[in-house]
Amino acid sequence: MLRNALGKTFRFLGYTVQYGCIAHCAFEYLGGIVVCSGPSMEPTIQNSDIVFSENLSRHFYCIRKGDIVIVKSPNDPKSNICKRVIGLEGDKVCTSNPSDFLKSHSYVPKGHVWLEGDNLRNSTDSRCYGPVPYGLIRGRICLKIWPLHDFGFLRASPNGHRFLDD
């Protein structure tokens, strides 16, 4: 009887570890569901919207300008942020706020990206903390799941004029 109970316990633990490893790999490499909070990506993503984030793009270095990404916060590594990629390494980006009279520009260093929220007046982004290392990117948002009336692929940036082609 004890032997039977131990056998069932070890089998249960074995299945738990096995399925735990499969779940970890799926969430780490394939993607997952994310609840976005904060006003920085409005009007594209509202507070409490639910999105699907795929992780393969970051592993294959397929992140492009205009993509919305989930990134480990450079200010607080325990939290994630959601921002739009404005510039990739070597790109010239506008580093000033939209209300600034004199515009300043800089180049994104190697191995980094320049991130900004769509709500430029209410976003803490690369204009505050500078270029973000590519390694902090967790995934690329490709689909809005909730609310249902907004279900589908995400729309283009309302700040497309900030993308420079130099």
Side-chain angles (χ1 to χ4, degrees):
M1 185 160 120
L2 178 63
R3 188 173 182 174
N4 190 17
L6 281 175
K8 286 183 180 180
T9 302
F10 283 126
R11 259 194 308 281
F12 175 75
L13 287 175
Y15 287 130
T16 302
V17 169
Q18 182 179 9
Y19 291 118
C21 290
I22 291 170
H24 168 74
C25 289
F27 290 127
E28 179 66 23
Y29 295 103
L30 297 180
I33 294 174
V34 177
V35 179
C36 296
S37 63
S40 72
M41 286 303 294
E42 292 175 355
T44 309
I45 298 175
Q46 305 288 327
N47 191 34
S48 301
D49 280 359
I50 300 173
V51 296
F52 178 76
S53 170
E54 61 87 12
N55 299 348
L56 290 173
S57 293
R58 75 178 171 112
H59 291 295
F60 293 115
Y61 296 95
C62 296
I63 301 295
R64 298 184 315 248
K65 280 198 278 189
D67 286 347
I68 300 174
V69 292
I70 301 292
V71 180
K72 284 279 182 203
S73 172
N75 295 337
D76 178 15
K78 293 179 182 172
S79 66
N80 292 322
I81 57 174
C82 175
K83 303 291 180 202
R84 189 178 297 272
V85 177
I86 300 299
L88 301 170
E89 64 181 46
D91 287 343
K92 183 178 180 183
V93 292
C94 179
T95 57
S96 55
N97 288 313
S99 59
D100 293 348
F101 181 71
L102 294 173
K103 302 296 181 198
S104 58
H105 297 87
S106 182
Y107 287 93
V108 180
K110 185 175 174 90
H112 289 71
V113 294
W114 188 266
L115 304 175
E116 291 181 2
D118 285 353
N119 185 355
L120 293 174
R121 300 200 190 301
N122 196 4
S123 177
T124 302
D125 49 36
S126 287
R127 293 171 295 149
C128 298
Y129 44 71
V132 176
Y134 192 92
L136 293 182
I137 296 175
R138 306 303 306 145
R140 180 179 65 91
I141 295 177
C142 55
L143 189 68
K144 188 186 287 191
I145 298 172
W146 189 263
L148 281 178
H149 68 274
D150 269 346
F151 182 87
F153 296 105
L154 297 171
R155 64 184 109 147
S157 172
N159 305 313
H161 63 280
R162 291 186 57 90
F163 294 84
L164 298 176
D165 293 325
D166 284 27

